[in-house]
Amino acid sequence: MALANKTTTLAPETVLEESKHGLFHQPIAVWAVFFASITAFMGMGLVNPVLPTIADNLEASKSEVTLLFTSYNAVMAFAMLITGAISSRIGQKGTLMLGIAVIATVAGFASQADSIWTLVALRGGWGLGNALFVATALAAIVSLSSGGTAKAIILYEAAVGLGISIGPLLGGTLGSITWRAPFMGVATIMVIAFLVLLFLMPKPVTTTTAPRQKISLLAPFQAMKHRSLLTLGIVAALYNVGFFTIMAYAPFVMKLPAQGLGFVFLGWGMLLAITSVLTAPKLKQWLGTIKAMVLMLLLFAVLLLLMGIFTETPAVVIVCVILAGAVLGNNNTLITTAVMDAAPVERSTASAAYSFLRFLGAAIAPFMAGKLAEIFNANLPFYVGSGFVLLSVVIIGVNLKHIRHIDTIDSGH
C-alpha cells in the first residue's frame, strides 16, 4: 500500500487514537527496523576513527582518504532516486534486506583491500546498499508506527544517533588492532541485522490485498517541482557540507589515536541521539519548526567557525565536535519531520528526493575539505563549512513563503 500523502488536519478520532500510543509503544516490526537502522549507521561511524590509520598504512593523502566518504555519499545520493521504484516492486522488507546484504558483502571485501582506490570503489558499493536501506527504513518506520509521523521520525533519528555514537567506539576499539578490523566488524553486524529483519519483520508491510502501486523512476524529480521540498533539500545539502567536514576531516586535526577518536565520536553521537528524542520536539513546540531550524543552523555555523579559529588547539576542536552532536541531533529531527509533510507526495518519494539533495552536499564536503587543507591550510575547511551552513539559513529566509505552511501543519491548523 502506498504511504499516506501529505497530512493536513487530522480527524478528531485519529488524534485521539495517536494520543493513546507513547513513543515506545510500537509493533515488533518497528523495533526490528529500529535495530537494523542502528546497525546500518554503526557501519558509517565504524570507519571514522581509522581514517588517519588508513592514510598511513595505504600511503594515501588526506584528500584521497576523504574519498571514502565522497564515493559513499555520491553513490548514495543518486541511488536514492531509485529506492522508491525498487521498494514499490520488491516491498519494503525485500529492499531493506537487499541493502543490508550489499553492505555486508562490500564491507567484507573492504577488509581485504590493499589499496586506497580499491577501498574507495568498495565504499561506493557501500553507498548503494545504504541508500536502499536508509530511504526505505524511514518510510517503513513511518508506515508501521502506531504513534504518528512525528513519533516515528523521532525513533528513526534516535536510531541514527545511537548507530553513529556506538559505531566509532567499536571502530576505534577494533581499529586499535588493525584498520581492517572495523570493516570486518561492519560485515558481521550487517549479517545480524539481516537475520533480525528476516525473522521479525512481516513480509506484507500492509494489510491490504490491493496490488502494490509501482513508483516511477521519475517520481523524485517530479517531487522536487514542489518548492517547499526543494528548499528543504537544498538546506540539507548545504548544512551537510558542515556535517561531513566534521565526519571526514576533523579526525585528522584532533591528533588522537583510533580509540581516542572513537570516544570523541561516541560523545558526539550520544548527544545527537539524546537531542533527537528529547529536545527537538520541545524546540518545535516552543519556537516552531522553522525558527528552531534556523537557531540550530546558526549555532552549528558558530561551532564550525570556532573549529576554524582554533584548529591548532585539539582540545577546542574536540569539545566543538561533541557539542555539534547536540545541534545536529535537533536539526536532523526538525528538518526530517518537515520534509515528510512539506509537499503533497508520498512519503517514500519525498524521502528519496530529499535524501538525493542531502547526500550531494555530503559527497562534496569530504574531498573538498581535504583538498582545501592540502592547498591552503588546516583551518580553511572549517571556515568554508561554516559558510555553507550560513548559506542554508539564507536559503530558508529567501524561500520562507514556500515553507511557512510547515508550522501551520505542526500547530494542527
Side-chain angles (χ1 to χ4, degrees):
M1 181 174 66
L3 294 173
N5 284 346
K6 174 185 170 183
T7 304
T8 51
T9 305
L10 294 176
E13 61 271 17
T14 304
V15 175
L16 180 62
E17 182 63 26
E18 287 193 358
S19 68
K20 294 178 182 178
H21 299 287
L23 177 63
F24 301 105
H25 186 86
Q26 302 290 346
I28 189 67
V30 170
W31 293 116
V33 179
F34 178 81
F35 173 79
S37 298
I38 292 175
T39 60
F41 282 94
M42 280 176 66
M44 178 190 294
L46 272 167
V47 181
N48 287 52
V50 293
L51 291 178
T53 309
I54 291 173
D56 292 339
N57 280 269
L58 297 183
E59 300 179 350
S61 67
K62 290 179 183 178
S63 59
E64 287 173 344
V65 172
T66 59
L67 284 172
L68 294 176
F69 278 96
T70 293
S71 64
Y72 170 86
N73 287 315
V75 172
M76 182 155 48
F78 286 96
M80 285 291 180
L81 298 173
I82 64 172
T83 55
I86 293 174
S87 179
S88 68
R89 286 162 174 79
I90 67 174
Q92 289 180 342
K93 180 175 181 177
T95 308
L96 291 171
M97 293 177 67
L98 176 61
I100 287 177
V102 171
I103 296 171
T105 301
V106 298
F109 280 116
S111 70
Q112 306 303 314
D114 57 4
S115 77
I116 187 64
W117 301 111
T118 301
L119 270 183
V120 169
L122 288 168
R123 279 285 283 181
W126 195 327
L128 171 61
N130 224 48
L132 292 170
F133 182 88
V134 169
T136 311
L138 175 56
I141 286 181
V142 169
S143 64
L144 291 166
S145 173
S146 62
T149 300
K151 288 186 175 68
I153 290 171
I154 290 170
L155 276 178
Y156 174 78
E157 292 296 342
V160 172
L162 287 171
I164 288 178
S165 62
I166 298 170
L169 181 60
L170 183 58
T173 303
L174 294 173
S176 63
I177 303 169
T178 169
W179 69 265
R180 299 179 186 275
F183 290 95
M184 187 55 69
V186 169
T188 303
I189 290 167
M190 290 300 104
V191 170
I192 296 171
F194 185 91
L195 294 174
V196 167
L197 286 179
L198 178 64
F199 292 111
L200 294 183
M201 187 174 180
K203 283 185 179 179
V205 172
T206 68
T207 57
T208 181
T209 57
R212 184 184 290 124
Q213 181 181 349
K214 293 182 179 180
I215 297 175
S216 167
L217 287 170
L218 296 177
F221 291 104
Q222 293 167 344
M224 282 186 269
K225 292 178 181 177
H226 296 281
R227 187 70 171 268
S228 54
L229 184 59
L230 179 62
T231 297
L232 292 173
I234 292 172
V235 167
L238 293 171
Y239 91 77
N240 258 336
V241 173
F243 188 118
F244 276 88
T245 296
I246 289 178
M247 288 284 284
Y249 176 69
F252 290 102
V253 301
M254 287 189 273
K255 304 187 188 309
L256 292 172
Q259 199 160 18
L261 289 171
F263 278 111
V264 171
F265 281 100
L266 170 67
W268 177 79
M270 288 300 292
L271 283 181
L272 191 148
I274 291 168
T275 53
S276 294
V277 176
L278 298 181
T279 60
K282 294 294 184 183
L283 284 171
K284 179 178 172 181
Q285 181 182 351
W286 293 336
L287 301 175
T289 298
I290 297 172
K291 287 182 180 178
M293 279 171 49
V294 169
L295 175 61
M296 291 302 105
L297 290 169
L298 290 174
L299 288 174
F300 186 33
V302 169
L303 288 171
L304 285 164
L305 181 63
L306 289 173
M307 284 185 251
I309 295 171
F310 297 101
T311 303
E312 287 76 22
T313 310
V316 175
V317 176
I318 289 168
V319 170
C320 288
V321 167
I322 293 172
L323 292 177
V327 174
L328 291 166
N330 283 312
N331 197 62
N332 286 350
T333 295
L334 289 165
I335 196 167
T336 306
T337 305
V339 165
M340 290 296 100
D341 289 320
V345 298
E346 293 183 347
R347 286 178 178 138
S348 57
T349 301
S351 177
Y354 162 72
S355 296
F356 166 68
L357 294 169
R358 177 184 186 179
F359 286 107
L360 279 182
I364 294 168
F367 185 70
M368 180 177 70
K371 274 299 179 186
L372 288 173
E374 288 173 4
I375 297 172
F376 298 101
N377 57 63
N379 310 68
L380 190 57
F382 295 115
Y383 291 137
V384 171
S386 180
F388 271 90
V389 175
L390 286 175
L391 182 57
S392 73
V393 176
V394 174
I395 295 296
I396 290 174
V398 171
N399 293 278
L400 188 59
K401 66 180 181 180
H402 299 289
I403 59 174
R404 188 179 283 117
H405 69 279
I406 293 166
D407 281 330
T408 305
I409 292 171
D410 292 340
S411 63
H413 296 145

